[in-house]
Amino acid sequence: MGALIAKNKKLYILRNEAGLSQIECAYKLGIPTNQYAAIEQGKTRGKVNVWSNIQKLFNVPDADMWELIKGSM
């Protein structure tokens, strides 16, 4: 079975630049791995509090958040 393609490439890039697996990222965000994977794969948008935690985890400036969130739509 092949790897699923990330539809939110910006989030995928941030995670990889931080050297985190999806499992590690989900743990740091306090969410299940399948929930994080679904956000990265564009299957769900995720809740506001998750995006707030993503912003903090990756130090994303406020001005760049809409583009990051939009990538999951």
Side-chain angles (χ1 to χ4, degrees):
M1 178 183 281
L4 293 171
I5 303 298
K7 291 195 176 179
N8 191 325
K9 293 192 187 303
K10 292 178 183 185
L11 185 55
Y12 171 82
I13 290 167
L14 285 172
R15 178 176 61 79
N16 278 298
E17 286 178 348
L20 298 173
S21 68
Q22 285 186 340
I23 295 169
E24 293 167 324
C25 192
Y27 177 79
K28 289 181 177 283
L29 295 171
I31 61 175
T33 303
N34 63 341
Q35 182 181 354
Y36 176 80
I39 293 169
E40 193 173 285
Q41 294 163 8
K43 293 180 179 179
T44 185
R45 290 186 186 167
K47 295 183 179 181
V48 172
N49 65 322
V50 173
W51 284 106
S52 177
N53 290 339
I54 288 170
Q55 182 177 19
K56 291 174 191 169
L57 178 63
F58 297 119
N59 297 315
V60 179
D62 289 340
D64 297 336
M65 277 307 293
W66 176 244
E67 287 300 316
L68 183 61
I69 294 168
K70 193 167 71 169
S72 69
M73 298 179 165

